[in-house]
PDB file of all heavy atoms in Angstrom:
ATOM      1  N   ASP I 395    -211.837  92.609 207.391  1.00  0.00           N
ATOM      2  CA  ASP I 395    -211.534  91.243 207.832  1.00  0.00           C
ATOM      3  C   ASP I 395    -210.038  90.988 207.846  1.00  0.00           C
ATOM      4  O   ASP I 395    -209.528  90.239 208.682  1.00  0.00           O
ATOM      5  CB  ASP I 395    -212.201  90.215 206.900  1.00  0.00           C
ATOM      6  CG  ASP I 395    -213.704  90.157 207.115  1.00  0.00           C
ATOM      7  OD1 ASP I 395    -214.183  90.715 208.134  1.00  0.00           O
ATOM      8  OD2 ASP I 395    -214.398  89.571 206.262  1.00  0.00           O
ATOM      9  N   LEU I 396    -209.319  91.584 206.885  1.00  0.00           N
ATOM     10  CA  LEU I 396    -207.860  91.381 206.814  1.00  0.00           C
ATOM     11  C   LEU I 396    -207.108  92.368 207.702  1.00  0.00           C
ATOM     12  O   LEU I 396    -205.883  92.334 207.755  1.00  0.00           O
ATOM     13  CB  LEU I 396    -207.382  91.535 205.361  1.00  0.00           C
ATOM     14  CG  LEU I 396    -207.794  90.441 204.381  1.00  0.00           C
ATOM     15  CD1 LEU I 396    -207.201  90.714 203.002  1.00  0.00           C
ATOM     16  CD2 LEU I 396    -207.346  89.068 204.880  1.00  0.00           C
ATOM     17  N   GLY I 397    -207.845  93.261 208.347  1.00  0.00           N
ATOM     18  CA  GLY I 397    -207.174  94.260 209.179  1.00  0.00           C
ATOM     19  C   GLY I 397    -206.394  95.276 208.362  1.00  0.00           C
ATOM     20  O   GLY I 397    -205.399  95.825 208.833  1.00  0.00           O
ATOM     21  N   ILE I 398    -206.816  95.518 207.132  1.00  0.00           N
ATOM     22  CA  ILE I 398    -206.145  96.523 206.287  1.00  0.00           C
ATOM     23  C   ILE I 398    -206.845  97.865 206.505  1.00  0.00           C
ATOM     24  O   ILE I 398    -208.016  98.020 206.148  1.00  0.00           O
ATOM     25  CB  ILE I 398    -206.214  96.128 204.798  1.00  0.00           C
ATOM     26  CG1 ILE I 398    -205.446  94.812 204.570  1.00  0.00           C
ATOM     27  CG2 ILE I 398    -205.651  97.236 203.908  1.00  0.00           C
ATOM     28  CD1 ILE I 398    -205.553  94.261 203.155  1.00  0.00           C
ATOM     29  N   PRO I 399    -206.156  98.832 207.115  1.00  0.00           N
ATOM     30  CA  PRO I 399    -206.810 100.115 207.384  1.00  0.00           C
ATOM     31  C   PRO I 399    -207.018 100.920 206.101  1.00  0.00           C
ATOM     32  O   PRO I 399    -206.193 100.861 205.186  1.00  0.00           O
ATOM     33  CB  PRO I 399    -205.832 100.845 208.311  1.00  0.00           C
ATOM     34  CG  PRO I 399    -204.573 100.060 208.324  1.00  0.00           C
ATOM     35  CD  PRO I 399    -204.750  98.801 207.548  1.00  0.00           C
ATOM     36  N   PHE I 400    -208.130 101.631 206.038  1.00  0.00           N
ATOM     37  CA  PHE I 400    -208.397 102.487 204.880  1.00  0.00           C
ATOM     38  C   PHE I 400    -209.250 103.659 205.329  1.00  0.00           C
ATOM     39  O   PHE I 400    -209.881 103.602 206.378  1.00  0.00           O
ATOM     40  CB  PHE I 400    -209.122 101.692 203.777  1.00  0.00           C
ATOM     41  CG  PHE I 400    -210.470 101.176 204.181  1.00  0.00           C
ATOM     42  CD1 PHE I 400    -211.618 101.927 204.003  1.00  0.00           C
ATOM     43  CD2 PHE I 400    -210.580  99.918 204.782  1.00  0.00           C
ATOM     44  CE1 PHE I 400    -212.863 101.443 204.392  1.00  0.00           C
ATOM     45  CE2 PHE I 400    -211.824  99.427 205.171  1.00  0.00           C
ATOM     46  CZ  PHE I 400    -212.969 100.191 204.982  1.00  0.00           C
ATOM     47  N   VAL I 401    -209.209 104.732 204.545  1.00  0.00           N
ATOM     48  CA  VAL I 401    -210.139 105.832 204.793  1.00  0.00           C
ATOM     49  C   VAL I 401    -210.977 106.018 203.541  1.00  0.00           C
ATOM     50  O   VAL I 401    -210.461 105.991 202.418  1.00  0.00           O
ATOM     51  CB  VAL I 401    -209.425 107.169 205.121  1.00  0.00           C
ATOM     52  CG1 VAL I 401    -208.951 107.185 206.549  1.00  0.00           C
ATOM     53  CG2 VAL I 401    -208.273 107.443 204.182  1.00  0.00           C
ATOM     54  N   GLU I 402    -212.275 106.167 203.741  1.00  0.00           N
ATOM     55  CA  GLU I 402    -213.145 106.409 202.606  1.00  0.00           C
ATOM     56  C   GLU I 402    -213.025 107.868 202.216  1.00  0.00           C
ATOM     57  O   GLU I 402    -213.059 108.752 203.071  1.00  0.00           O
ATOM     58  CB  GLU I 402    -214.586 106.086 202.978  1.00  0.00           C
ATOM     59  CG  GLU I 402    -214.841 104.608 203.060  1.00  0.00           C
ATOM     60  CD  GLU I 402    -216.301 104.351 203.331  1.00  0.00           C
ATOM     61  OE1 GLU I 402    -217.107 104.534 202.403  1.00  0.00           O
ATOM     62  OE2 GLU I 402    -216.628 104.001 204.471  1.00  0.00           O
ATOM     63  N   ASP I 403    -212.851 108.123 200.930  1.00  0.00           N
ATOM     64  CA  ASP I 403    -212.718 109.491 200.449  1.00  0.00           C
ATOM     65  C   ASP I 403    -213.619 109.669 199.224  1.00  0.00           C
ATOM     66  O   ASP I 403    -213.253 109.278 198.120  1.00  0.00           O
ATOM     67  CB  ASP I 403    -211.253 109.775 200.085  1.00  0.00           C
ATOM     68  CG  ASP I 403    -211.077 111.189 199.571  1.00  0.00           C
ATOM     69  OD1 ASP I 403    -212.101 111.885 199.341  1.00  0.00           O
ATOM     70  OD2 ASP I 403    -209.920 111.605 199.385  1.00  0.00           O
ATOM     71  N   PRO I 404    -214.805 110.255 199.451  1.00  0.00           N
ATOM     72  CA  PRO I 404    -215.761 110.364 198.331  1.00  0.00           C
ATOM     73  C   PRO I 404    -215.278 111.298 197.224  1.00  0.00           C
ATOM     74  O   PRO I 404    -215.874 111.312 196.147  1.00  0.00           O
ATOM     75  CB  PRO I 404    -217.034 110.896 198.997  1.00  0.00           C
ATOM     76  CG  PRO I 404    -216.625 111.443 200.306  1.00  0.00           C
ATOM     77  CD  PRO I 404    -215.356 110.774 200.710  1.00  0.00           C
ATOM     78  N   THR I 405    -214.196 112.055 197.466  1.00  0.00           N
ATOM     79  CA  THR I 405    -213.691 112.917 196.386  1.00  0.00           C
ATOM     80  C   THR I 405    -212.587 112.230 195.587  1.00  0.00           C
ATOM     81  O   THR I 405    -212.027 112.813 194.666  1.00  0.00           O
ATOM     82  CB  THR I 405    -213.122 114.250 196.928  1.00  0.00           C
ATOM     83  OG1 THR I 405    -211.901 113.969 197.634  1.00  0.00           O
ATOM     84  CG2 THR I 405    -214.110 114.945 197.847  1.00  0.00           C
ATOM     85  N   LEU I 406    -212.251 110.988 195.971  1.00  0.00           N
ATOM     86  CA  LEU I 406    -211.190 110.298 195.228  1.00  0.00           C
ATOM     87  C   LEU I 406    -211.718 109.848 193.864  1.00  0.00           C
ATOM     88  O   LEU I 406    -212.600 109.002 193.764  1.00  0.00           O
ATOM     89  CB  LEU I 406    -210.692 109.076 196.022  1.00  0.00           C
ATOM     90  CG  LEU I 406    -209.674 108.193 195.287  1.00  0.00           C
ATOM     91  CD1 LEU I 406    -208.397 108.961 194.998  1.00  0.00           C
ATOM     92  CD2 LEU I 406    -209.356 106.940 196.080  1.00  0.00           C
ATOM     93  N   VAL I 407    -211.211 110.498 192.827  1.00  0.00           N
ATOM     94  CA  VAL I 407    -211.502 110.047 191.474  1.00  0.00           C
ATOM     95  C   VAL I 407    -210.136 109.800 190.864  1.00  0.00           C
ATOM     96  O   VAL I 407    -209.132 110.063 191.477  1.00  0.00           O
ATOM     97  CB  VAL I 407    -212.283 111.105 190.667  1.00  0.00           C
ATOM     98  CG1 VAL I 407    -213.695 111.189 191.163  1.00  0.00           C
ATOM     99  CG2 VAL I 407    -211.607 112.448 190.719  1.00  0.00           C
ATOM    100  N   ARG I 408    -210.033 109.287 189.693  1.00  0.00           N
ATOM    101  CA  ARG I 408    -208.711 108.969 189.176  1.00  0.00           C
ATOM    102  C   ARG I 408    -208.534 109.653 187.831  1.00  0.00           C
ATOM    103  O   ARG I 408    -209.493 110.039 187.182  1.00  0.00           O
ATOM    104  CB  ARG I 408    -208.554 107.455 189.055  1.00  0.00           C
ATOM    105  CG  ARG I 408    -208.837 106.730 190.368  1.00  0.00           C
ATOM    106  CD  ARG I 408    -207.580 106.389 191.131  1.00  0.00           C
ATOM    107  NE  ARG I 408    -206.662 105.648 190.313  1.00  0.00           N
ATOM    108  CZ  ARG I 408    -205.434 106.061 189.996  1.00  0.00           C
ATOM    109  NH1 ARG I 408    -204.976 107.201 190.428  1.00  0.00           N
ATOM    110  NH2 ARG I 408    -204.662 105.318 189.242  1.00  0.00           N
ATOM    111  N   GLY I 409    -207.286 109.833 187.431  1.00  0.00           N
ATOM    112  CA  GLY I 409    -206.999 110.525 186.178  1.00  0.00           C
ATOM    113  C   GLY I 409    -207.155 109.659 184.948  1.00  0.00           C
ATOM    114  O   GLY I 409    -206.743 110.043 183.863  1.00  0.00           O
ATOM    115  N   LEU I 410    -207.702 108.452 185.112  1.00  0.00           N
ATOM    116  CA  LEU I 410    -207.915 107.557 183.971  1.00  0.00           C
ATOM    117  C   LEU I 410    -209.404 107.243 183.935  1.00  0.00           C
ATOM    118  O   LEU I 410    -210.031 107.070 184.973  1.00  0.00           O
ATOM    119  CB  LEU I 410    -207.101 106.268 184.128  1.00  0.00           C
ATOM    120  CG  LEU I 410    -205.595 106.483 184.361  1.00  0.00           C
ATOM    121  CD1 LEU I 410    -205.227 106.323 185.820  1.00  0.00           C
ATOM    122  CD2 LEU I 410    -204.774 105.534 183.497  1.00  0.00           C
TER     123      LEU I 410
END
Side-chain angles (χ1 to χ4, degrees):
D395 287 347
L396 290 182
I398 297 175
F400 63 89
V401 281
E402 286 184 73
D403 180 351
T405 70
L406 174 63
V407 288
R408 305 262 306 119
L410 306 101

